[in-house]
Amino acid sequence: RRLPESVPYAGKTGSLTGTVLDAGIIFAPARPLIITAIAADLTDAIAAEEAMGQLALAAAHEWGGLR
């Protein structure tokens, strides 16, 4: 969701009532990264999905060599 279009990724999302999950592989410039996030007891699933996107972007910058 927040990664640049130039960074390929493969992912799978899912949800149950009050829970969302996102798992995927980010093919970052330095190395591939595997990321999984699960959020439960939610009142705002959209905010949780946004936070998961921010997590993926931060990981790509920190460990994947994304500049």
Side-chain angles (χ1 to χ4, degrees):
R1 293 175 187 88
R2 296 200 134 278
L3 294 170
E5 289 185 21
S6 62
V7 178
Y9 70 93
K12 174 68 176 125
T13 61
S15 65
L16 296 170
T17 303
T19 303
V20 295
L21 67 92
D22 198 349
I25 302 171
I26 301 169
F27 298 97
R31 66 186 55 83
L33 303 170
I34 298 172
I35 307 248
T36 302
I38 301 172
D41 299 326
L42 297 173
T43 57
D44 187 348
I46 292 173
E49 291 171 358
E50 176 64 21
M52 290 176 184
Q54 291 175 3
L55 171 70
L57 182 60
H61 280 288
E62 183 66 26
W63 297 297
L66 187 64
R67 300 288 170 236

